[in-house]
């Protein structure tokens, strides 16, 4: 059973990294972007779910937390672009609940690590637990904002989709290149630090596209080229 779950986790995770990288690099809204994005959603959920089950069997609480958080990020981002959050209400509230739970559990486990004699919780220090808790808390505030404003549209909707998908991809890339998956690479390559570059690339692309979303459109709107030409008299 564990062998099957591990294979499923590895195969789906590798597919998710490839599909997610393509979706992040491709022009947003294009057919290829949508196809690769859907592939990322499906493969990422499968990989994270398999990894979460494995983490629960060990148990390894930080991986359990990361798995649930990744599923939350991917599904809430996908629902955003499907228009499910435009009216706020039940869907946004459904996103808020797991965010609060993840933030609460991460905070509790982080506090338990700090209070333990060795400063660890199932082999990990408090920092990663608290980082997940903090990011989940910020995501939950975003969900609450959608509820209060009764929906999300325009650039805010695109940005919400973008950063959540990018962060999920960052977690997947980190798991493959600098996390447990890095064991497939020779020690000589791991020692160079080159395996950290894919994570940096994901973050850089996320920042680039967020700037395009918020600044690029403003610049195009103000450009004389984008304005209708005056009719000749």
């Amino acid at each position: 059973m564990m062998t099957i779950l591990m294979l499923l986790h590895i195969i789906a995770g590798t597919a998710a990294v490839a599909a997610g990288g393509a979706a992040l690099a491709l022009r947003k809204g294009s057919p290829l972007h949508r196809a690769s994005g859907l592939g990322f959603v499906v493969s990422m959920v499968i990989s994270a779910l398999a990894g979460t089950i494995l983490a629960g069997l060990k148990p390894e609480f930080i991986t359990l937390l990361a798995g649930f958080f990744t599923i939350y990020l991917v599904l809430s981002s996908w629902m955003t672009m499907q228009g499910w959050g435009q009216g706020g209400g039940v869907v946004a509230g459904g996103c808020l609940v797991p965010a609060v739970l993840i933030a609460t559990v991460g905070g509790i486990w982080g506090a338990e690590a700090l209070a333990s004699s060795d400063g660890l919780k199932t082999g990990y220090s408090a920092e990663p637990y608290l980082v997940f808790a903090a990011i989940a808390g910020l995501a939950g505030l975003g969900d609450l904002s959608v509820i209060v404003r009764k929906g999300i549209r325009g650039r805010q909707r695109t940005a919400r989709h973008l950063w959540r998908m990018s962060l999920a991809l960052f977690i997947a890339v980190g798991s493959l290149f600098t996390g447990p998956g890095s064991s497939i690479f020779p020690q000589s390559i791991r020692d160079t630090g080159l395996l950290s570059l894919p994570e940096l690339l994901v973050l850089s692309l996320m920042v680039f596209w967020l700037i395009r979303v918020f600044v690029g459109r403003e610049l195009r709107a103000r450009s004389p080229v984008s304005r209708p030409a005056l009719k000749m008299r």
Side-chain angles (χ1 to χ4, degrees), residues 108-143:
I108 292 173
W109 286 348
E112 289 178 353
L114 288 173
S116 66
S117 58
D118 58 359
L120 302 175
K121 175 76 173 178
T122 62
Y124 290 87
S125 64
E127 284 77 8
Y129 292 106
L130 297 178
V131 167
F132 277 120
I135 300 175
L138 290 174
L141 289 176
D143 296 329

